[in-house]
């Protein structure tokens, strides 16, 4: 019988803060999670994830489900909404990524929603331990403001 479990590894990823120490990247800390918005490297995350970088730190995408767990994808640029906690960014990808299909059903109060991501389970030596998380809820209020985010180039 086939396993119908929803596999997240193609869609979501952790973001880390790194510094450049010669040819090697030094992972400093876990920042948060993101998910692919299209196949060419645009992704969505929370504004506070990218705003939390210290001077000299760069954001990178981790690949915990890959056979290249020690390889990071560089974040090239980002734009964030001035009010809402959302950002769209572009990553330096080599191969096309998988984006979740857009929801095309009715929107409104009571709509079931889910959020996928990672939580920081701590650092062991040079490795970060991450747990995949799923948050479920429903739309409980409506905002008259649209997000209106431009796509970074």
């Amino acid at each position: 019988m086939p396993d119908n479990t929803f596999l997240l590894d193609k869609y979501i990823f952790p973001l880390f803060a790194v510094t450049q120490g010669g040819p090697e990247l030094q992972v400093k800390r876990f920042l948060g999670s993101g998910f692919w918005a299209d196949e060419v490297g645009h992704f969505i995350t929370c504004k506070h994830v990218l705003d939390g970088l210290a001077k000299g730190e760069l954001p990178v995408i981790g690949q915990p489900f890959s056979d290249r767990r020690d390889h990071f994808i560089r974040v090239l640029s980002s734009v964030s909404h001035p009010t809402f906690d959302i950002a769209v960014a572009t990553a330096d990808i080599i191969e096309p990524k998988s984006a979740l299909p857009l929801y095309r059903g009715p929107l409104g109060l009571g709509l079931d929603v889910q959020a996928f991501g990672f939580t920081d389970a701590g650092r062991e030596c040079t490795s970060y331990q991450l747990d995949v998380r799923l948050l479920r809820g429903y739309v409980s209020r409506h905002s008259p403001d649209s997000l209106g985010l431009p796509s970074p180039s």
Side-chain angles (χ1 to χ4, degrees), residues 2 33 39 45 63 101 112 124 128 133:
S33 306
E39 290 113 17
T45 189
Q63 300 182 80
D112 287 332
E124 292 181 12
Y128 275 90
R133 70 175 175 185

Side-chain angles (χ1 to χ4, degrees), residues 14-18 25-27 59-64 68-75 92 94 126 128:
L15 289 146
F16 294 95
V18 300
L25 294 175
Q26 308 297 316
V27 177
V60 296
I61 295 170
Q63 300 182 80
R68 301 190 68 197
R69 295 173 66 129
D70 60 341
H71 177 76
F72 297 94
I73 301 171
R74 291 182 185 270
V75 175
D92 187 17
I94 296 171
T126 60
Y128 275 90

